[in-house]
Amino acid sequence: MAKQQSIDPATGNVAFEIEEHSPAEVEGRVALAASAAVAWAASAVNDRAELLFRAADLLEAEREDFGRLMTQEMGKTLASAIAEAEKCAAACRYYADNAARFLDPELVVDHGSEHGEVCYQPLGTVLAVMPWNFPFWQVIRFAAPAIAAGNTALLKHASNVPRSAIALEDLFRRAGAPPGVFQSLLIPARRVADLIADPRVHAVTLTGSEPAGRSVAEAAGRHLKKAVLELGGSDPFIVCESADLDRAAAVAVTARCINNGQSCIAAKRFIVVAPVFDRFLDRFTALMSTLRVGDPMDPDTDLGPLATPAIRDELDAQVTASLDAGARRTLGSGPIPGRGNYYSPTILVDVPRSAPAWSEELFGPVALFHRVASLDAAIELANATRFGLGASVWTAKIADARRAELGLDCGTVFVNGMVASDPRFPFGGVKASGFGRELGVWGLREFVNVKTVRRFGLER
């Protein structure tokens, strides 16, 4: 059998390996999920909430252990990994607190002999294909609402984070989930299509790349399965003339370098109006150049390694090709020699349309700067991409904020703040950034049967 490996991005050492699940093991897990789905759907919402409360307690109590695991598997700084575990706990508590309200039937009419309501019932088993960059959060933000709604969950995690997949299954087991409610499948991507085709799998959600999203959407469409896709992004960070440049620059560096730059909603394109372009770039450069790159376990480290050598090499190829196309590099030196997948903080300006950096998502600490004449030009440039995930706009004028909020083609707009997911709000994108929504009541209702119930002529 093939094996999945956990390789420390800071050293290149193999930290863990495990055999993938055999076809027989996968069959057993799918059968168990299908069997468990019947009882779990019939369980009381309060019992599901109690499971999530217990999971939250474990995530919070063991956040440092979970944080070290994430850091060792994909290279994020330990502080950010611990914060990820804490955010997962908060999401579990959010759905534990609100699931009953979200699932309560909604009365539409109750007049005379007519009664009509809308009910929310679980679909069955949901397959999740999840990425490595937020190895706990991406899973919990699907699993918490899906399980709260009464579905069972099958996780096909990224093959470079098998320890996270195992730890998450163990988390729900220790929290008291009945067998089959949450299970991980250690399988390669090529086996996902067969799972989607399985009639015991009722829906699928994926967070990942465009090619992966197209493949999953194609398979789901062929079998008429519900699908939610959260794909890539090339988020604009628009700076208007009235913006607080000091604060905007500080947040901009954080927004570009969060998770070592490996986030779909990281700010990637900095679109700045001409009157303040040079001043903003100077501030951004000064802060970016002070970032400390190093061991992600060191509390003084700002930027850890990229998750894999392939990701580092692809990023460098995109930067090199963009420089060849005419972009200018004002900060950065490419891959950092030595052990680990380290890449220096980089700034590119004057990026031409022919450059990969113009049209492709750059997954790493590389910032792209564009000078524009006005806010309208900034919105036009921000929309000139196949992506549409998030956007951040910096201004002191409400009229500018409203114009940007209405004009930007994306799923999330933040004004004077960094784009971030929050359990209370829907999260997702448009265009090539995917479809459907996670989080909030909207995320829970993606994987339910929205059923109309009407009654006539019954005694009360």
Side-chain angles (χ1 to χ4, degrees):
M1 290 292 294
K3 294 183 178 181
Q4 293 189 0
Q5 291 185 328
S6 175
I7 300 175
D8 188 338
T11 64
N13 296 332
V14 176
F16 175 81
E17 65 179 16
I18 187 171
E19 285 190 352
E20 292 180 336
H21 287 140
S22 68
E25 288 173 311
V26 172
E27 165 59 28
R29 287 173 175 250
V30 173
L32 182 59
S35 174
V38 177
W40 191 243
S43 66
V45 177
N46 287 343
D47 291 341
R48 300 175 209 156
E50 286 303 317
L51 168 63
L52 293 177
F53 277 131
R54 292 191 295 270
D57 289 343
L58 288 170
L59 283 160
E60 196 164 72
E62 301 174 22
R63 59 189 180 273
E64 293 187 5
D65 291 336
F66 289 137
R68 280 190 289 273
L69 188 160
M70 286 184 263
T71 296
Q72 290 166 357
E73 278 211 305
M74 58 72 56
K76 67 173 73 230
T77 62
L78 180 57
S80 66
I82 292 171
E84 181 171 334
E86 292 171 339
K87 187 172 184 177
C88 290
C92 286
R93 290 200 176 96
Y94 175 79
Y95 282 104
D97 284 332
N98 292 284
R101 178 168 61 90
F102 291 166
L103 294 167
D104 198 35
E106 293 184 15
L107 183 66
V108 177
V109 60
D110 191 21
H111 180 72
S113 64
E114 181 183 1
H115 175 92
E117 64 185 26
V118 178
C119 300
Y120 302 99
Q121 297 177 330
L123 293 179
T125 296
V126 182
L127 170 66
V129 182
M130 292 289 111
W132 48 263
N133 57 334
F134 292 93
F136 273 52
W137 172 240
Q138 302 278 16
V139 175
I140 292 296
R141 78 184 194 192
F142 130 77
I147 288 172
N151 298 294
T152 57
L154 291 170
L155 168 65
K156 184 272 181 262
H157 217 327
S159 296
N160 62 317
V161 290
R163 289 176 64 201
S164 292
I166 294 167
L168 286 160
E169 180 176 310
D170 185 59
L171 168 73
F172 281 101
R173 179 192 61 78
R174 290 189 291 129
V181 167
F182 183 98
Q183 299 174 91
S184 289
L185 302 175
L186 301 178
I187 58 172
R190 66 177 182 274
R191 292 166 65 181
V192 167
D194 288 341
L195 282 171
I196 296 173
D198 194 307
R200 296 167 296 182
V201 172
H202 301 92
V204 59
T205 179
L206 173 138
T207 298
S209 67
E210 274 186 85
R214 293 179 191 278
S215 177
V216 164
E218 180 182 4
R222 186 180 302 117
H223 298 284
L224 299 178
K225 303 285 179 76
K226 177 66 182 288
V228 170
L229 305 180
E230 196 272 281
L231 307 178
S234 187
D235 283 11
F237 189 106
I238 297 173
V239 181
C240 299
E241 189 170 359
S242 64
D244 179 337
L245 297 185
D246 289 331
R247 180 165 175 263
V251 174
V253 171
T254 300
R256 172 59 279 202
C257 296
I258 186 172
N259 209 43
N260 303 337
Q262 301 165 119
S263 172
C264 53
I265 53 170
K268 299 184 176 82
R269 295 179 296 145
F270 297 87
I271 304 172
V272 187
V273 296
V276 296
F277 181 89
D278 291 329
R279 283 182 285 155
F280 180 78
L281 177 58
D282 287 346
R283 287 165 169 78
F284 184 94
T285 302
L287 294 170
M288 194 83 157
S289 63
T290 64
L291 294 179
R292 178 176 173 180
V293 182
D295 181 358
M297 291 290 188
D298 186 334
D300 293 327
T301 292
D302 299 306
L303 273 177
L306 301 185
T308 69
I311 292 167
R312 177 201 59 203
D313 294 346
E314 179 181 1
L315 177 66
D316 192 50
Q318 291 171 306
V319 169
T320 299
S322 297
L323 294 172
D324 291 342
R328 291 191 300 113
R329 179 164 53 192
T330 61
L331 181 72
S333 58
I336 297 175
R339 301 176 74 196
N341 312 319
Y342 293 97
Y343 200 89
S344 61
T346 299
I347 297 173
L348 299 181
V349 300
D350 300 333
V351 179
R353 287 181 177 269
S354 59
W358 178 278
S359 58
E360 298 175 5
E361 180 178 28
L362 272 60
F363 229 50
V366 178
L368 314 177
F369 270 76
H370 301 278
R371 186 194 306 260
V372 293
S374 64
L375 174 58
D376 288 337
I379 294 171
E380 182 179 358
L381 178 56
N383 291 338
T385 172
R386 65 183 185 275
F387 298 109
L389 194 52
S392 182
V393 181
W394 292 76
T395 179
K397 298 180 178 179
I398 185 65
D400 288 348
R402 292 295 294 145
R403 194 151 84 248
E405 290 161 6
L406 295 174
L408 288 165
D409 296 334
C410 56
T412 300
V413 177
F414 274 62
V415 177
N416 298 331
M418 187 177 82
V419 176
S421 57
D422 183 312
R424 300 170 297 172
F425 293 89
F427 180 83
V430 297
K431 302 192 288 187
S433 289
F435 50 76
R437 291 295 180 266
E438 298 176 297
L439 300 176
V441 62
W442 304 269
L444 181 144
R445 290 181 180 171
E446 288 283 4
F447 296 116
V448 297
N449 174 17
V450 183
K451 180 184 286 186
T452 294
V453 174
R454 301 186 70 183
R455 310 184 194 113
F456 299 91
L458 296 179
E459 295 182 5
R460 293 182 180 273

